[in-house]
Amino acid sequence: MIHKDMKDKHHLRVMAKCIGLFALAAMSTLAGCKKLYDLPEERDYISNNVNFSNKIFEPIIGRTSMMGGFNADNSTFPMTFEITNARWGDGRPVTDLFRTVPTYVWVGEYTGLEKSLAEIESKRKIEQRPLFEIRRSGEFVLWPSATNEFIQPRAEDSTNLVQNTRFFDVKVRNTGGERLIRDLQIRPFRERPYEPSNDFNAYTGKPAPDPKFPLDPKLRDYIRPFLNSVVGATTNQFLVSNNDKKDVIVYIRPFSGGTGNSLRIKVLNKDSVAMNPSLFNETQWDKMIHGFNMQKTAEHVQWDVAYPIPLVEIKTPYAPEGSRARAELKYSRVGFGGLRVTASFGLDFAIYKKGDWEIVFFFKGENPKLINE
């Protein structure tokens, strides 16, 4: 048996040598042919039809906006991309898009399971980046460090005049050559630091008109929460919030006295007096927000958080759909017939700008019924 194994190993070594010699011979032959017949170096392929499926980009300033739709048309990667000839429609050079500023870049994977702000911050770092750039994939990015002060937003009157539009070209290269894709456009909207943002005008930044009575200057639109089985204390009717009737509205607004990285949730009754969060006795405050150092007072609940919220658009326990976090307040009471009734209200939201922000639920016309029947 031992003799047979040694014999087999000897045969394998002989075969390996033969294969190696054959490979060397083949390579030498190919090299010789190449030299003999003066064959050209192998080059990448680049199509004449490389393009972008969308050539007009309308990002919102102050958010990470990924744009693109590059069509390589079977061209060979890797490629390099370069933004060139950035100009206004009247020929003036565009420079504001390419200002280099500090911005957050992820260097580790955010999971939603991080246990502290320090752990979150260890997964991202600040780098100097142009506000607007194109990546190696052909994807454009407008970084969240862009502001209305850095980049002029589109016109307040909503027009798209040529002289107020930024145009640019993109040069695409690989070893097979280069192509120039002309006349892409970027028309950035002014900052909207949170969503939903239907409470202010996307062009002017001023309060948005009432959707039913847009010409009445005394009326305006509001953010509306979702309401599940919330009954009015006086009417015993289900409260609603829509274009016709706004029993409950929401404000997302800055507050003073925070840490600079704070989020606060507050509920106001019909007299604009803060309601004790403990009244909402089924609320899972400790599982609602990916925040830390929760403080619960008689008027609000507050966390230390990392912005933006959500940090990354992935599904987590705090952002069930990925793009929005969820603030949901629940309470139960004994209804008719001795049955326990559970009600809830809340908001799916995003906040893009670092600061001290509060989400305020305002029972505008009638307080919720919290007592037992």
Side-chain angles (χ1 to χ4, degrees):
M1 180 65 73
I2 294 173
H3 177 72
K4 185 179 184 300
D5 289 343
M6 291 177 64
K7 191 174 181 180
D8 290 344
K9 289 179 180 178
H10 174 72
H11 287 161
L12 288 172
R13 283 196 295 269
V14 171
M15 288 176 65
K17 284 183 179 180
C18 290
I19 291 170
L21 289 170
F22 177 78
L24 284 171
M27 290 172 63
S28 299
T29 301
L30 288 172
C33 289
K34 188 172 182 180
K35 187 173 181 180
L36 178 64
Y37 297 105
D38 194 26
L39 296 175
E41 291 288 334
E42 187 174 331
R43 303 179 70 184
D44 290 337
Y45 168 70
I46 185 165
S47 168
N48 289 321
N49 298 318
V50 293
N51 212 330
F52 291 90
S53 58
N54 176 30
K55 297 179 76 171
I56 299 176
F57 306 116
E58 298 182 310
I60 300 171
I61 296 171
R63 308 180 185 183
T64 300
S65 298
M66 312 299 291
M67 302 157 284
F70 177 66
N71 177 16
D73 191 39
N74 297 315
S75 300
T76 309
F77 278 89
M79 294 183 182
T80 61
F81 298 84
E82 180 187 358
I83 296 173
T84 65
N85 191 27
R87 74 270 181 201
W88 294 93
D90 58 7
R92 291 172 293 135
V94 166
T95 58
D96 58 351
L97 290 175
F98 310 108
R99 180 197 297 253
T100 300
V101 297
T103 194
Y104 272 119
V105 176
W106 288 97
V107 294
E109 182 186 8
Y110 171 77
T111 63
L113 303 175
E114 292 77 7
K115 303 299 183 185
S116 67
L117 286 179
E119 185 179 355
I120 290 173
E121 296 304 335
S122 72
K123 295 185 174 184
R124 58 183 184 173
K125 66 177 181 177
I126 292 179
E127 291 184 355
Q128 296 289 329
R129 293 290 186 95
L131 293 173
F132 179 64
E133 61 181 339
I134 188 167
R135 310 177 103 176
R136 288 179 295 179
S137 62
E139 187 175 45
F140 298 97
V141 55
L142 181 68
W143 292 101
S145 17
T147 64
N148 294 339
E149 289 70 36
F150 288 161
I151 296 179
Q152 180 182 330
R154 61 195 304 167
E156 292 189 4
D157 61 5
S158 76
T159 57
N160 290 311
L161 300 178
V162 171
Q163 62 265 32
N164 295 329
T165 300
R166 297 172 179 86
F167 293 84
F168 61 94
D169 307 328
V170 173
K171 192 175 290 185
V172 185
R173 296 188 188 94
N174 65 15
T175 61
E178 68 177 44
R179 302 288 183 266
L180 187 66
I181 304 173
R182 300 179 184 274
D183 297 332
L184 289 84
Q185 300 178 37
I186 181 168
R187 305 171 180 173
F189 279 98
R190 70 178 50 251
E191 289 179 82
R192 299 208 292 270
Y194 55 78
E195 290 292 343
S197 59
N198 58 286
D199 57 334
F200 67 89
N201 186 294
Y203 293 94
T204 66
K206 297 175 182 177
D210 185 283
K212 290 204 70 174
F213 305 99
L215 300 181
D216 189 337
K218 295 178 291 185
L219 299 178
R220 56 166 296 182
D221 201 4
Y222 294 96
I223 299 171
R224 295 183 276 278
F226 61 80
L227 299 161
N228 298 313
S229 303
V230 178
V231 172
T234 304
T235 62
N236 276 320
Q237 299 295 311
F238 289 119
L239 301 185
V240 298
S241 189
N242 53 40
N243 286 348
D244 296 313
K245 190 179 181 186
K246 301 178 182 66
D247 292 326
V248 190
I249 59 175
V250 179
Y251 302 109
I252 302 178
R253 62 193 186 190
F255 73 90
S256 59
T259 64
N261 287 281
S262 303
L263 179 67
R264 176 182 290 180
I265 292 180
K266 180 188 292 187
V267 182
L268 301 179
N269 67 15
K270 64 183 181 64
D271 300 315
S272 298
V273 175
M275 301 178 69
N276 193 319
S278 297
L279 292 170
F280 308 104
N281 54 8
E282 301 284 350
T283 302
Q284 295 182 301
W285 296 105
D286 58 333
K287 297 180 180 179
M288 183 188 300
I289 302 294
H290 195 187
F292 312 95
N293 303 322
M294 188 180 80
Q295 304 167 46
K296 188 177 179 183
T297 74
E299 295 189 345
H300 63 256
V301 180
Q302 182 174 315
W303 298 262
D304 295 338
V305 295
Y307 285 102
I309 300 175
L311 278 160
V312 178
E313 291 192 359
I314 61 171
K315 292 183 179 182
T316 69
Y318 310 101
E321 299 303 318
S323 62
R324 302 281 178 94
R326 170 165 289 189
E328 184 172 18
L329 286 67
K330 294 183 179 181
Y331 60 95
S332 64
R333 61 187 186 86
V334 177
F336 291 108
L339 297 176
R340 182 159 291 277
V341 177
T342 299
S344 67
F345 59 94
L347 185 73
D348 293 328
F349 72 97
I351 301 178
Y352 302 96
K353 192 169 186 175
K354 176 182 175 181
D356 297 315
W357 292 89
E358 64 178 4
I359 299 173
V360 181
F361 297 92
F362 178 28
F363 283 82
K364 192 167 177 277
E366 184 178 5
N367 293 337
K369 188 168 191 175
L370 301 172
I371 61 173
N372 297 331
E373 297 293 349

